[in-house]
Amino acid sequence: MDLELRCPSCKEYYRSPVYLPCTHSLCYTCALTSIQTTNEHHPNHSTLDISSTSFASDLDKLSFTSDNDSGVLLNRHSPSSSSSSSSSSSSSSISSSSRPSSLLLPPALPEISSSFLSTTPTRHQPNKTYSTCLQCPVCSKTIFMDTTGVRSLPKNHLLADIVNRYQGEKSSEQKQQQHQQQAPKCQLCRPSEERCITRICEQCRIGYCDQCREQYHPMRGPYSKHNFLDALQHCLNTSNEKTFCSEHSNRLATFYCLHCRLECCQQCSTHLNHEIIPIQQAAKLYKTQLSSQLQSLSEKAKYGAEFLAKLKQYPDYIKKNGEIFEKNLIKDIDNLIHTLENKKQELVTFIHEEIDRKISLIHQQYSTYNAHIQQTTGFLQFSIEALKESDPYAYLQVCHGFNSKCSSIYEQFSDEYECKPHTSYEFDFTFNTECLLREIHRLQFQQIKPPLSPRFLAEQCLCHDEQSGTISGTLAWSMRDLGAIQGFILELDDGTIGSDFREVYDGTETMCAVDGLLPSHVYTARVKAYNQAGESAYSECITLHSSSVYWFTFNPRTAHPDIQFLSNPSTDNHYNLDSITCLSSQERVALGSRGFRHGIHYWEITIQRYDDKPDPAFGVARFDVPKEHMLGKDSKSWCMYIDSQRSWFMHNGQHTNRINGGISVGSVIGVLLDLNNGTLTFYINDEIHGPIAFSNLTQGGVYYPAVSLNKNVQLTLVSGLDPPIRRHQEL
C-alpha cells in the first residue's frame, strides 16, 4: 500500500493532496509547482489537442465530446451548475468525477472552434476563462483551470485521512484537543450558556450537549429508536468542509443522483426524474460495490500468490529435469564415444543453453508477476483503509476511481497475468539411439510436441492507405515460448463471402505486411505455428476492414458456428450479413466485421423475431471473446442483456443497474461506443436507456460490436449511424 500513498511527482507521502479530474492526485505544493499558463502550454491555440485535456472547474460534468474522424458531437447528462469560489480556509464543495476515466471538456474555451460551440446548449456555456493548466504526471492529461488555479481543485480528504492513519503523524490526543477547540456549539443552549455538542442525532441531524440531550431528546418514547453519534468522533472522521448543492448554493447536498453521479438536494429540478438516494445510503451502496469487487480481486490475488509460489520452484524443476536429461544424453553418447565425441559437446551445450533460456524466461515471468502481486496487495490494503472512511463525501469523491482501478487490476489477472508458466519445466525432446553411424553427424534435438496456437495482437493489426492509392495491411501476432517454434504460416482470404484462405507468409517473424488490398473489403486472417512435431491449431480469426467509412456487418468467419446468416431474397444464393439468428437454444456470439480503437460510433439493431422471452445481449467485445456463451460473462465483453420487461448491464459476470423496460418485435436497440472517453451507452427506440453503462473501456484497445442470441431471436443490423443526440440537435 505504500506506493498508493506516495505522490507521483515528488515520490513522498501525500501532503494536502488535491483530486484531479483524471482520478489521480497530487500534493498541493506539487500541483502549484506544475502550473503553467495556457500560452506556455499551447502557444498555438489552433493545435490544441482536446482529446487529452480535462478541466478542474467541470470536475462533476461532461459537457461535450467530439471525434475528428466522425465529426460527432455529444451532450452528456450533467446538470448545469454554478461554481462557487472559496478561500483555502472557508468551506467549499466536494466534487466527485461522474466518470473516472472520462475526458472532461467544457464548451466555452477560446481554443475550441466556434462550430462546436454553436451546437452546444446555452446552459452549458459559462463565461469562464481557463488561464492556467497542469499536466498529470501519471496519465499525461492536461487539466485546465481558471484564475484561481490549484484552489479550484477539490481536496482528496479520503487520501489525506489514510496517509495520516498510515504515518501516525498526529496523536489521538492532539487531534482530540484540536477538534474540541473547533467543535460546534449546542444548537439548543442559550447564547450566554453555549456548550460544545457531545452527541448528534442521526435521524434529527441536531447536535446536543449532555444537558440539552437529556432535556429535549430523552431516549424513550418515540425517540427510543433514534441513533446518536459521538460528536468528537464525528468531527475526527469528517471534513470541516460542507458540500452544497451545485444548483442551490444555500442548500446542503444531502442526496446523491445515481443517474448523474452527483451530489444534490431535494429541490434540484435537474434530477427530478432521476433516482436519488440519501448521501449516506449512496456511500454505503458504493462501498458495498467496491467490497464485492475487492473480494473477487482478493481471490484472484490469492490464487496468483499460490501460483507464484509454484512458479518460484520451476527453476529447480528445470534444473533437475535438465540434469536428468543431460545424464541420459551423455550415457547414450558414451556408447558411441569414438564416433560421437565431437557431437556430444555440442548437444550438451545446447541443453545448458535451453536450461538458461527456460530459467531466464521463468525469472522474467516471476519478477513481472511478483511486482503485480505486490501492487495488487498494496491496492487491496489501500482500498480496505478507504472502506474504513466514514465521511461519505470524501469517499464518494474517489470511489469511482477505486472501482475503475479495481476492475483494471482484476482484468489484468485474466489477460496480462494469466496464471500459466511461460515455459514448461520439462524438456520436450528425445534422443534416438537407433540412428545409424552414418547419420551421426546429422543428429539434432527434435520437438516431441506441436506448438500452441499463436495469438493476434489486435492493437497492431491495421489497414493503411498509401500515397499511391493502394491499401496495405499489417498483421502482428505473438507466442510466449518462441523456443519451440520453427516458423509461422499466415493465411488470408480474398475479402469476399465464402472465399478460401490462401497462404501469404511462411517464416519466423511475428509481423507481416500485406499489400494490394482492395478498398471496401473485409479481410479475415488466421495464423498457425509449426515445428518438427507438427502444426498448431489455427489462431482466432481477425478481420481487416479496408474502408475509411465506419460501416460494418456481422462476420461469419468470427461468429459461432451455430449463428445462422439469413438469405437475401433480392439475390440468388447470397446471404444478408446484416440479419442473423441462431440454431441453438443456448446463447451464441456474433461479432462485427470491424473493430474500433478510437472515435465515437453508433449502430442500431432491430428485433425482427422474439419468441419465449429470451435474453439477447448487445455490446462490444474483444476479437478473441468466447463465442459459446452469453456476452458479459467474461472479462473480454461488455453488454446489456434484456428481456421483455427489464434489462441489466454485465461485464466479467457481474450484473449491475437493473432497469425497467424491455423489448418486443420491432424494438430498436442503439449502441453508442465513445472511445474518446472510454464509455458505452445504450438506447431503446431512440431514447437513452439508463445511465452510462460502462466507463472503463481503455483507450488504444480494439473493441468489436457484438451480440449474443439463441434460436428464439432474429436481429437486423444497421451501422454507421449518427447518435440520437446529434440527430435531435440537427432537427
Side-chain angles (χ1 to χ4, degrees), residues 241-260:
E241 298 181 356
K242 297 180 179 180
T243 299
F244 290 89
C245 177
S246 57
E247 287 192 0
H248 306 89
S249 58
N250 60 336
R251 291 181 177 273
L252 288 176
T254 56
F255 287 86
Y256 188 79
C257 177
L258 296 179
H259 188 280
C260 302

Side-chain angles (χ1 to χ4, degrees), residues 219-455:
M219 295 301 295
R220 56 182 180 272
Y223 296 128
S224 60
K225 295 184 178 180
H226 285 206
N227 182 37
F228 277 97
L229 302 176
D230 183 86
L232 179 59
Q233 189 64 31
H234 185 75
C235 292
L236 288 173
N237 295 333
T238 59
S239 171
N240 290 329
E241 298 181 356
K242 297 180 179 180
T243 299
F244 290 89
C245 177
S246 57
E247 287 192 0
H248 306 89
S249 58
N250 60 336
R251 291 181 177 273
L252 288 176
T254 56
F255 287 86
Y256 188 79
C257 177
L258 296 179
H259 188 280
C260 302
R261 297 183 179 179
L262 289 174
E263 300 93 342
C264 62
C265 68
Q266 260 186 322
Q267 306 301 321
C268 286
S269 58
T270 309
H271 311 282
L272 185 61
N273 297 321
H274 299 169
E275 183 179 358
I276 62 173
I277 59 177
I279 200 78
Q280 295 282 357
Q281 184 180 346
K284 183 177 180 181
L285 174 67
Y286 285 111
K287 282 187 177 182
T288 303
Q289 182 179 347
L290 179 60
S291 298
S292 176
Q293 290 181 307
L294 290 176
Q295 184 177 2
S296 301
L297 181 59
S298 178
E299 293 175 357
K300 280 284 186 181
K302 180 181 178 181
Y303 179 72
E306 294 173 353
F307 167 74
L308 199 62
K310 295 179 181 178
L311 192 65
K312 189 176 181 179
Q313 300 175 356
Y314 258 59
D316 296 334
Y317 294 149
I318 293 174
K319 288 180 179 180
K320 183 177 180 180
N321 283 279
E323 292 171 357
I324 295 174
F325 192 67
E326 181 182 345
K327 290 179 181 179
N328 292 334
L329 175 65
I330 294 176
K331 180 180 178 180
D332 291 336
I333 292 179
D334 284 341
N335 294 331
L336 304 172
I337 190 65
H338 299 291
T339 310
L340 303 178
E341 188 63 33
N342 295 332
K343 195 67 177 179
K344 179 181 68 173
Q345 189 59 38
E346 179 183 344
L347 296 178
V348 170
T349 302
F350 180 88
I351 293 176
H352 291 162
E353 292 174 352
E354 185 68 5
I355 293 173
D356 294 338
R357 187 189 65 80
K358 284 179 173 287
I359 292 176
S360 176
L361 198 61
I362 292 299
H363 281 162
Q364 182 180 359
Q365 183 185 8
Y366 178 84
S367 177
T368 304
Y369 210 101
N370 186 46
H372 184 66
I373 290 297
Q374 290 180 357
Q375 179 187 3
T376 303
T377 304
F379 177 72
L380 285 170
Q381 295 174 354
F382 179 67
S383 300
I384 291 171
E385 290 296 326
L387 292 176
K388 297 177 182 178
E389 180 60 35
S390 61
D391 181 8
Y393 303 110
Y395 181 80
L396 288 174
Q397 184 182 55
V398 298
C399 65
H400 306 296
F402 276 94
N403 294 338
S404 176
K405 185 170 182 180
C406 185
S407 299
S408 174
I409 297 177
Y410 182 85
E411 291 173 8
Q412 286 178 355
F413 275 99
S414 300
D415 297 333
E416 301 179 25
Y417 299 96
E418 187 178 9
C419 292
K420 292 183 180 178
H422 289 178
T423 186
S424 173
Y425 58 80
E426 298 179 346
F427 285 76
D428 302 326
F429 305 116
T430 187
F431 190 77
N432 187 2
T433 58
E434 298 179 359
C435 294
L436 299 174
L437 292 178
R438 56 187 170 84
E439 297 291 332
I440 288 178
H441 293 290
R442 298 196 304 176
L443 287 177
Q444 188 52 270
F445 289 104
Q446 294 181 354
Q447 293 281 350
I448 62 174
K449 293 181 180 179
L452 299 176
S453 299
R455 182 179 183 273

Side-chain angles (χ1 to χ4, degrees), residues 519-647:
S520 301
H521 279 60
V522 179
Y523 294 89
T524 305
R526 62 185 185 183
V527 65
K528 61 181 177 181
Y530 64 88
N531 59 17
Q532 293 173 336
E535 297 179 342
S536 72
Y538 282 106
S539 67
E540 291 280 350
C541 291
I542 198 169
T543 57
L544 287 178
H545 208 301
S546 59
S547 172
S548 59
V549 180
Y550 287 150
W551 62 269
F552 60 89
T553 62
F554 292 117
N555 190 348
R557 296 278 197 191
T558 58
H560 190 278
D562 289 341
I563 296 295
Q564 181 182 23
F565 289 78
L566 304 179
S567 59
N568 191 342
S570 61
T571 57
D572 296 333
N573 299 324
H574 283 81
Y575 291 99
N576 181 5
L577 298 184
D578 293 327
S579 296
I580 60 172
T581 186
C582 184
L583 301 176
S584 172
S585 59
Q586 302 298 319
E587 304 290 336
R588 299 293 185 246
V589 173
L591 298 181
S593 60
R594 180 169 201 146
F596 300 110
R597 67 186 72 235
H598 59 80
I600 302 173
H601 312 280
Y602 180 76
W603 60 93
E604 292 183 343
I605 299 173
T606 303
I607 310 297
Q608 303 290 358
R609 180 166 56 83
Y610 186 74
D611 304 328
D612 298 332
K613 299 181 179 180
D615 298 324
F618 310 88
V620 296
R622 302 289 194 179
F623 79 97
D624 54 350
V625 64
K627 313 295 193 310
E628 63 276 0
H629 56 65
M630 178 188 290
L631 285 177
K633 289 190 174 182
D634 52 72
S635 63
K636 298 181 179 180
S637 56
W638 297 256
C639 80
M640 173 189 72
Y641 70 94
I642 187 170
D643 58 21
S644 60
Q645 296 180 345
R646 62 192 69 84
S647 67

